[in-house]
Amino acid sequence: MSFESSGEAQAEHIIETVPAGATLHIALDLEHCGDFFAHPPTRDEVDAILGPLLDRLKQHHGAPPVIYATSHARGPGCTGRQATVSRELAKT
């Protein structure tokens, strides 16, 4: 996942690359790099990207993506949305 492009654009790229009906869950790598390591995005900034990305991928693939997040990235910026996705994935 990139903090430099919209969730919608990232979802469309994944959808073009990975066909519907794939047998493995899509995995998103959530980590801070470059300037974002020293200045992580706020929860609102993460939600503005991650929310549409997760929603679109779940809609297209029928299951929410798996999120891999580094310990640094699992801070206040992503904890709430990540917990929701983890609960949804446990139901599939």
Side-chain angles (χ1 to χ4, degrees), residues 66-82:
V66 173
I67 297 176
Y68 165 81
T70 62
S71 59
H72 188 262
R74 284 192 310 259
C78 80
T79 304
R81 186 69 191 208
Q82 179 184 0

Side-chain angles (χ1 to χ4, degrees), residues 48-60:
I49 296 170
L50 191 57
L53 176 58
L54 294 174
D55 293 343
R56 180 69 178 106
L57 292 176
K58 182 179 178 184
Q59 175 190 18
H60 182 75

